[in-house]
Amino acid sequence: DDTPLGKFVYDGFAEAFQPRFDDIAEETGLDSVLFIRSTPTHTRIVCTAGPYAETYVKGAKGTKSVNEDEHEAYCERVHNTGDELYIPDAEEDEEWIGADEFDAFGLRSYYGVPTRFGDTVIGTVCALDEDVYDFETGDPSALDLLRSVRDDIEADIQSHFA
């Protein structure tokens, strides 16, 4: 997707939102907090925070299960369904055996919320942790923080591209 929306290249997007992701990671202790852009064949990391920011590097491209020999990624499910996805413990969930997030990195717990432009899911605000993580604990909870930054991203995209 070579449109400005597809690449999120308009001035200041990542810079405006990166501090929010940093704050969520610090406040919650989550191992990885991300905004991931989705295209039909791949994903791209736009914002990344937490200890796994060295693994999930800004700008990195991931493949989707439409590509040969690829397992569906956690965020891919969110992109495909448009629904929030909670995986309490991938180690105990046969559906996610083979997913890179768990197999390669040991990230067991996941929560992803879809990010839309109009009716189209264009990305996911998500968080992952090596341990089983309760995303609803706290005030605000990690889930509240993920949804809040998602809402702000959607408003920002709308203001730039509507």
Side-chain angles (χ1 to χ4, degrees), residues 55-101:
T55 302
Y56 290 109
V57 179
K58 181 179 172 182
K61 181 178 174 180
T63 58
K64 287 184 161 183
S65 63
V66 296
N67 298 292
E68 190 173 336
D69 297 324
E70 291 294 326
H71 188 282
E72 182 180 38
Y74 300 165
C75 286
E76 184 178 355
R77 173 71 57 87
V78 176
H79 302 159
N80 291 342
T81 65
D83 297 326
E84 292 185 3
L85 176 63
Y86 175 45
I87 302 170
D89 187 354
E91 188 172 46
E92 301 294 325
D93 190 337
E94 288 185 23
E95 181 175 8
W96 296 105
I97 293 172
D100 273 351
E101 297 90 341

Side-chain angles (χ1 to χ4, degrees), residues 111-125:
Y111 207 108
V113 295
T115 305
R116 291 180 169 79
F117 178 64
D119 294 332
T120 303
V121 176
I122 58 164
T124 302
V125 171

Side-chain angles (χ1 to χ4, degrees), residues 76-159:
E76 184 178 355
R77 173 71 57 87
V78 176
H79 302 159
N80 291 342
T81 65
D83 297 326
E84 292 185 3
L85 176 63
Y86 175 45
I87 302 170
D89 187 354
E91 188 172 46
E92 301 294 325
D93 190 337
E94 288 185 23
E95 181 175 8
W96 296 105
I97 293 172
D100 273 351
E101 297 90 341
F102 178 68
D103 282 0
F105 305 116
L107 293 165
R108 297 169 61 174
S109 204
Y110 170 89
Y111 207 108
V113 295
T115 305
R116 291 180 169 79
F117 178 64
D119 294 332
T120 303
V121 176
I122 58 164
T124 302
V125 171
C126 62
L128 303 99
D129 203 84
E130 290 179 352
D131 298 314
V132 174
Y133 188 91
D134 183 352
F135 289 89
E136 294 182 344
T137 297
D139 186 24
S141 68
L143 182 53
D144 292 335
L145 296 169
L146 296 174
R147 287 175 177 158
S148 175
V149 74
R150 183 269 320 267
D151 293 347
D152 291 345
I153 288 171
E154 287 179 344
D156 184 71
I157 292 168
Q158 186 68 23
S159 74

Side-chain angles (χ1 to χ4, degrees), residues 18 21-22 32-34 45-50 52-53 56-58:
Q18 183 61 49
F21 286 83
D22 293 335
S32 184
V33 182
L34 304 152
I45 297 172
V46 180
C47 295
T48 181
Y52 274 78
Y56 290 109
V57 179
K58 181 179 172 182

